[in-house]
Amino acid sequence: MILLFLLIFAVVLAILATAHWYVWRRLIRDTTAPRTRWRRAGTAVFVAGPILAVGALAGEQAGLPHTAAGIVAWPGYLWLALFLYLFLGVLAGEVVRPLISRLLAARSKEPATAGAIITPAKEAVPVGAARPDQPDSQEPGPSPVPRDVVSRRVFVSRVVGGAAAVVAAGTVGAGTYSVLNGPSIKRITVPLAKLPRSAHGMRIAVVSDVHLGPVLGRRFCQGVVDTINSTQPDLIAVVGDLIDGDVEDLADSVEPLRGLASRLGTFFVTGNHEYISGVEPWVEKVRELGMQPLRNARVPLAGLDLAGVDDVQGVPDFGAALDDRDRSRPVVLLAHQPVNIHEAVEHGVDLQLSGHTHGGQMWPGNYIAELANPTNAGLERYGDTQLYVSRGAGAWGPPVRVGAPSDITIVQLASPQA
């Protein structure tokens, strides 16, 4: 098993190293002269970036203090996001690079300047021609290329590489602002066939994947709480991946959660990151913060039953949560991962509320998320069961979202009898 892990790690490391070398070659080597400060600075960035990224990923798991982990996490995670879009930009550049070269070649009128871009300040001298400051008696021979002459290849590399860098930086900058600005409020109405008229209009605030940790801390948490409370929900459903780290390190970061307010209370189910961070201490902590954990359990509410199961990293027990219930009453299930939908259908669940996918978080991650989950984001029906998947309020790893905006969803239940 250890040998298999080491083999997989070595393969992944080799792929990442090759990708970094490829992007460095296109953005740094092909655009700068050897032994210049620009070459040295660019190379230093491509060495420091992946080192910081490894530090960010290892972070507190490697025993790094929480404060130090936060210092490393910001540049390390942002490098991962930036490198993703640099890589995609450079790949796209391979398509336009020959087109630009052909366009320049077609516009070149002087044979002596073919393959070169010349600034208007000086004029290139054809190979073998005498320079104006050379005596006519000097034997003709190769003359050095003027310093302001840039080869067409370097010029094209700078244009394509510069465009890739600008687009990548802009994309990551906008994606970071999207996360730090906090989740938006999304509202949907879900009709439930069994919902009595008395429960018509019940509003559930669904929040998932906040991922409080070395990057997103107390200030972000307070913003999430304020956003939820502003909607005045009837109940709040926290469907997992609330944190990334130990209880001791994040006690201050999660403190604002004590201020969550709703008519029927706040309910919590575990996500896979609670198991990574220590599930039992966190279950006790959220209970102390005023939330009610639903660990393979069910509670009756006015007009419906609310159930919750542990994440698949633990032992989700649908029987314990859903058996022996009055099936004439609708049941809403909280389950972190959408893959639980198939068991939910078998147990007659009316609505499952999930998170986990982040909606892919950063394009083109949405395509991967769609392959790994029955529903990536939004509301879909599976037989008589409906599944709603939130994109989540925060972000894991890079505090960046591209094409998958964060949200807190207000699910309003509707009765056909109303």
Side-chain angles (χ1 to χ4, degrees):
M1 191 67 179
I2 296 178
L3 289 177
L4 178 61
F5 172 79
L6 292 176
L7 178 60
I8 294 174
F9 178 77
V11 171
V12 172
L13 189 63
I15 292 173
L16 289 176
T18 302
H20 274 79
W21 173 85
Y22 165 66
V23 176
W24 170 85
R25 177 174 175 265
R26 282 307 196 194
L27 294 186
I28 307 301
R29 194 197 74 173
D30 291 355
T31 62
T32 60
R35 295 182 296 278
T36 61
R37 65 178 182 274
W38 297 110
R39 173 74 64 87
R40 289 193 291 269
T43 301
V45 169
F46 271 80
V47 171
I51 292 175
L52 288 169
V54 171
L57 290 169
E60 295 173 273
Q61 283 72 32
L64 203 62
H66 179 68
T67 302
I71 294 173
V72 174
W74 269 103
Y77 282 135
L78 286 177
W79 172 256
L80 286 176
L82 181 63
F83 179 76
L84 169 64
Y85 291 107
L86 286 175
F87 181 77
L88 294 175
V90 169
L91 282 181
E94 301 295 357
V95 177
V96 301
R97 184 185 299 272
L99 301 178
I100 297 176
S101 296
R102 290 171 189 168
L103 177 62
L104 292 174
R107 297 183 61 181
S108 178
K109 297 180 179 179
E110 294 293 335
T113 62
I117 305 301
I118 306 172
T119 60
K122 294 185 181 181
E123 184 175 349
V125 180
V127 175
R131 298 182 62 87
D133 56 349
Q134 289 178 330
D136 294 339
S137 59
Q138 182 175 348
E139 291 185 8
S143 62
V145 177
R147 294 184 63 185
D148 52 349
V149 175
V150 178
S151 74
R152 182 183 299 137
R153 180 184 61 79
V154 173
F155 177 78
V156 172
S157 293
R158 289 178 179 178
V159 170
V160 174
V166 168
V167 171
T171 299
V172 172
T176 303
Y177 175 80
S178 174
V179 171
L180 299 184
N181 194 44
S184 61
I185 298 173
K186 180 178 179 181
R187 300 178 186 272
I188 65 169
T189 299
V190 180
L192 297 182
K194 300 176 186 176
L195 191 71
R197 177 182 300 215
S198 60
H200 177 75
M202 179 183 288
R203 290 171 296 115
I204 305 174
V206 181
V207 56
S208 72
D209 302 280
V210 184
H211 288 287
L212 300 173
V215 174
L216 302 177
R218 179 175 183 136
R219 183 176 179 181
F220 184 82
C221 182
Q222 185 64 62
V224 170
V225 170
D226 292 343
T227 300
I228 294 172
N229 288 346
S230 71
T231 67
Q232 299 182 320
D234 294 303
L235 69 88
I236 300 169
V238 181
V239 289
D241 281 7
L242 178 64
I243 45 77
D244 280 307
D246 296 334
V247 170
E248 294 78 9
D249 290 332
L250 298 180
D252 182 65
S253 295
V254 301
E255 187 60 26
L257 294 170
R258 199 181 299 276
L260 287 171
S262 63
R263 182 170 63 88
L264 298 173
T266 301
F267 299 87
F268 169 85
V269 292
T270 58
N272 53 304
H273 282 252
E274 274 74 43
Y275 284 89
I276 294 172
S277 301
V279 65
E280 298 302 335
W282 273 115
V283 169
E284 291 306 312
K285 181 63 177 178
V286 298
R287 183 179 284 113
E288 188 265 328
L289 289 170
M291 305 184 203
Q292 181 174 340
L294 290 177
R295 305 197 65 186
N296 304 319
R298 182 179 75 254
V299 294
L301 301 176
L304 58 83
D305 291 335
L306 184 68
V309 292
D310 283 350
D311 183 69
V312 296
Q313 293 290 327
V315 184
D317 190 338
F318 286 79
L322 298 168
D323 286 350
D324 301 324
R325 65 184 180 85
D326 182 356
R327 289 186 173 257
S328 67
R329 287 169 54 86
V331 59
V332 176
L333 175 70
L334 310 184
H336 177 63
Q337 299 197 35
V339 293
N340 287 320
I341 185 61
H342 305 297
E343 289 186 82
V345 171
E346 293 177 1
H347 284 80
V349 169
D350 296 274
L351 173 64
Q352 175 178 316
L353 302 175
S354 299
H356 182 65
T357 69
H358 297 209
Q361 186 165 323
M362 295 190 301
W363 183 91
N366 57 301
Y367 298 113
I368 299 174
E370 288 169 2
L371 290 174
N373 297 277
T375 296
N376 179 37
L379 182 67
E380 290 188 356
R381 177 176 288 276
Y382 294 81
D384 293 330
T385 302
Q386 297 180 81
L387 168 65
Y388 178 75
V389 181
S390 168
R391 290 189 177 95
W396 179 81
V400 180
R401 281 181 174 266
V402 179
S406 57
D407 69 69
I408 292 168
T409 304
I410 304 302
V411 176
Q412 182 167 314
L413 304 181
S415 170
Q417 304 173 33

